Amino acid sequence: MPDKPDKQYNLYAMYKKGIYRILANEPLTDAVWRMTLAGDTQWITAPGQFVNIALEGKFLRRPISVCDYDAGRLTLIYKVVGEGTAQMSRMTPGMELDLLTGLGNGFTPKEESQRPLLVGGGVGVPPLYHLARRLLAAGKPVEVVLGFNTAREVFYEEEFQALGCSVTVATADGSRGVKGFVTTAIAERGLEFDYFYACGPLPMLRALCEGVAQDGQLSFEERMGCGFGACMGCSCKTKYGNKRICKEGPVLEKGEIVW
């Protein structure tokens, strides 16, 4: 990692910085990988939070949502889209990574909701996994809709089923599950729910908000500079002013978004 001014190191020290050892790093699809790390996870307190990873030779850290975690390990799922994530895909067990952890606000499970719906699109699927575990542990039936472009991109369908979730897959080309988008699947299957949690690309989130009457929480995918609110580069317009996706987000309430 290149040298940085002392002031920036001091800023990093304010956050939950640690060294994590890679236990496993394996492909789930042609472009999506799962990495399991050992280390201190005490600062991760809510499903939907993210970590910021330092990579050798890269000035900016890479923000990756946390898929799952327990007392001593965490699971990250990432898509290879550039040099940084390609570098991650070549890492092997035993190697170490420098992480800032517990970033962002995460999802807040609503106690009054009795029939939650989880909606994930592409690499928006991973942060919903630990949320599903929490909701199931609270005794709530969990309905999950996963959206992808094609069958080759589908991942974590079986993992959600193994938890005990009811899972519907939608693919844009119809090669697996319902043909169409997540909103198509919700309508065609007549899914009943009283609240939703969603993560995915912006067009999916907007279509979901416009297509269903129920309230919910949305986790936004956004390019980030610092990852902890200093650069203001990932702001989103809301009814209460601009909010930083990395700091006040990535999870925001449906009712506050200005599309």
Side-chain angles (χ1 to χ4, degrees):
M1 183 176 178
D3 291 339
K4 295 181 175 62
D6 290 342
K7 183 177 180 180
Q8 192 166 16
Y9 272 123
N10 291 337
L11 186 56
Y12 281 170
M14 295 169 57
Y15 294 85
K16 302 81 180 178
K17 187 174 181 291
I19 303 300
Y20 295 75
R21 179 169 54 88
I22 298 175
L23 300 177
N25 193 25
E26 56 192 348
L28 298 177
T29 71
D30 292 341
V32 175
W33 288 66
R34 175 172 56 196
M35 179 182 286
T36 306
L37 298 163
D40 186 1
T41 62
Q42 65 175 307
W43 303 112
I44 305 172
T45 59
Q49 289 183 298
F50 67 95
V51 301
N52 228 357
I53 304 175
L55 297 171
E56 185 176 356
K58 310 298 181 190
F59 181 74
L60 294 178
R61 290 173 177 259
R62 267 49 181 184
I64 305 291
S65 296
V66 175
C67 174
D68 199 16
Y69 64 95
D70 58 26
R73 68 175 62 192
L74 67 155
T75 301
L76 308 176
I77 293 179
Y78 61 96
K79 184 176 183 179
V80 176
V81 294
E83 293 181 6
T85 44
Q87 183 174 328
M88 287 176 59
S89 72
R90 295 190 292 269
M91 294 179 174
T92 56
M95 297 179 71
E96 294 183 336
L97 283 171
D98 177 321
L99 270 62
L100 298 178
T101 67
L103 299 175
N105 63 352
F107 292 105
T108 303
K110 293 292 184 182
E111 294 184 6
E112 60 270 27
S113 168
Q114 298 302 312
R115 296 188 62 84
L117 171 69
L118 277 56
V119 185
V123 285
V125 168
L128 299 174
Y129 183 77
H130 190 83
L131 174 62
R133 286 183 55 193
R134 286 205 179 183
L135 293 171
L136 289 165
K140 300 179 181 182
V142 177
E143 193 81 46
V144 177
V145 177
L146 307 177
F148 304 91
N149 289 318
T150 183
R152 296 190 306 275
E153 299 178 3
V154 176
F155 67 92
Y156 257 54
E157 176 186 7
E158 294 179 356
E159 283 80 356
F160 277 101
Q161 290 173 338
L163 288 180
C165 302
S166 175
V167 182
T168 300
V169 170
T171 53
D173 65 359
S175 55
R176 186 162 178 177
V178 175
K179 182 177 181 178
F181 304 112
V182 293
T183 48
T184 312
I186 293 170
E188 286 193 5
R189 296 294 170 89
L191 300 182
E192 296 182 1
F193 60 98
D194 58 11
Y195 195 83
F196 72 84
Y197 306 85
C199 183
L202 192 61
M204 185 203 88
L205 298 181
R206 181 169 186 170
L208 181 63
C209 286
E210 293 175 348
V212 305
Q214 293 87 338
D215 287 331
Q217 297 173 30
L218 302 97
S219 180
F220 286 81
E221 299 174 350
E222 185 62 70
R223 293 183 66 87
M224 297 178 185
C226 67
F228 43 73
C231 71
M232 304 297 292
C234 59
S235 296
C236 172
K237 188 175 182 181
T238 77
K239 293 179 180 178
Y240 313 109
N242 290 336
K243 289 190 174 183
R244 298 162 293 183
I245 295 303
C246 69
K247 185 70 174 178
E248 289 82 31
V251 178
L252 301 174
E253 297 280 349
K254 171 187 175 181
E256 67 180 306
I257 306 301
V258 177
W259 296 105

